Every structure is written in C-alpha cells, then in structure tokens.
Amino acid sequence: MACNLTGAIALDCLDSIGGVKTLWVSTNFDYTSVTAGATAGITAVSGGTGTFYQIEVAKDVASFTETFTVSNTNGTAFFEQGVTIPVQHLSSEKRQQIQLLAYNRASRVLIEDNNGALWLIGLTRGCTLTTGSTTTGTAVGDATQYSFVLTAQEPEMAYQVASLSALSPIAFVNA
C-alpha cells in the first residue's frame, strides 16, 4: 500500500518557538513543477514565474494554522491552511493592496516562522482571502489595523521550502 509509514517520528528538543517572522504573498506565482524531498522540502521550482511581495507584521501577531480533514467514509483527505495577517495602521495604500487580495482567486503565501523555516501555503490550488476586518479600536491603546485570513484547501500538507533561492527565478519585493 502506498501510504505505509516510512519512518519514525522522534521527540525533539525544547528549542522551538511559535509565530511568524515574515511573510510574502503572490497573486501571480506560476510554475511547471516542483522538486521536493521528504526531508529537504522544496529544493527547486521549474518554469517558475511571478513576484512575491512582503507584508511586514509586528512580532507575535501573525500565525499559520493547518487543519487536517480526513473522511474514512468518503475516502478523502485534505489540509486547510490558514494564514492570519494583521496589518497595523490604516491607509489608502494598504487598503488598495488588501482589496486586490480579496478579489484574487489563487494567491500563494510564503511564510518564515520564528525558527527560520520557510513554508509555502496554497501551492497547488491557491489561497483566497476568506475573512477580514478593519478596526480603529475604541480606546487610545487599541489596535488600528486591518486583519485578514488567507485560506487554502490543499491535497497535501504545506511544503517546507529549503531556501528562497529554491524558488529562483521568482522575484521577491521586500517592504
């Protein structure tokens, strides 16, 4: 059977921390194929085109969650990947970019977690902006921000990416 385990899962050291350090979003990433290994993740992209734009976030506010949905009855499995992105301060420029994301049907998200690992979200089916809000807060210490979630439903779990150069010649535009 093709889905038999091929290795053990060890208990790691207590040297990991949670959270998202930085993220990039693309609305035009396309590729012919990816090369991915079981332990190295994505090491190369063939026929890759597009641009990833960085969305800067404050420490300890953005998150990535992947939910497994498996139905033995239906014989199906998929993985819902969600990236929550809070963007501080309201502006016309930020509003315009977030609205373009809301209209897009197949964004891809690349996150760097606080452990330095890169993860590609929505590789095969893309992400859509599924929920969001704009708030000014109530009190002077409250957040004035946009917050939105990009969600993908994929046939496989999110792929780790070996390095940004593995996605070459894809362009990265930093904030």
Side-chain angles (χ1 to χ4, degrees), residues 9 32 36 42 53 60 76 86 89 92 106-107 129 135 137 140 147 151 170:
I9 300 174
T32 305
I42 293 175
Y53 294 92
D60 305 328
T76 59
H89 302 291
S92 293
S107 301
L129 195 151
T135 183
V140 294
S147 183
T151 304
I170 303 301

Side-chain angles (χ1 to χ4, degrees), residues 80-161:
E80 185 162 295
Q81 303 161 353
V83 181
T84 301
I85 305 170
V87 177
Q88 295 176 343
H89 302 291
L90 308 181
S91 74
S92 293
E93 294 83 7
K94 292 175 185 177
R95 175 202 166 277
Q96 178 186 10
Q97 296 307 311
I98 293 168
Q99 187 160 323
L100 290 170
L101 276 174
Y103 292 157
N104 196 280
R105 293 180 186 264
S107 301
R108 274 35 178 245
V109 180
L110 180 69
I111 65 163
E112 179 183 8
D113 68 23
N114 279 329
N115 300 296
L118 298 166
W119 300 94
L120 187 55
I121 315 306
L123 175 65
T124 62
R125 301 186 72 228
C127 301
T128 56
L129 195 151
T130 53
T131 187
S133 64
T134 303
T135 183
T136 61
T138 303
V140 294
D142 291 347
T144 299
Q145 69 180 16
Y146 303 99
S147 183
F148 55 94
V149 178
L150 290 169
T151 304
Q153 292 179 329
E154 291 286 311
E156 295 183 348
M157 295 173 68
Y159 279 98
Q160 188 170 358
V161 177

Side-chain angles (χ1 to χ4, degrees), residues 65-71 76-81 156-158:
T65 303
E66 186 166 54
T67 304
F68 310 175
T69 302
V70 180
S71 172
T76 59
F78 70 92
F79 303 87
E80 185 162 295
Q81 303 161 353
E156 295 183 348
M157 295 173 68

Side-chain angles (χ1 to χ4, degrees), residues 19-30:
V20 171
K21 181 178 179 182
T22 192
L23 54 97
W24 297 267
V25 177
S26 177
T27 57
N28 65 348
F29 173 65
D30 198 12

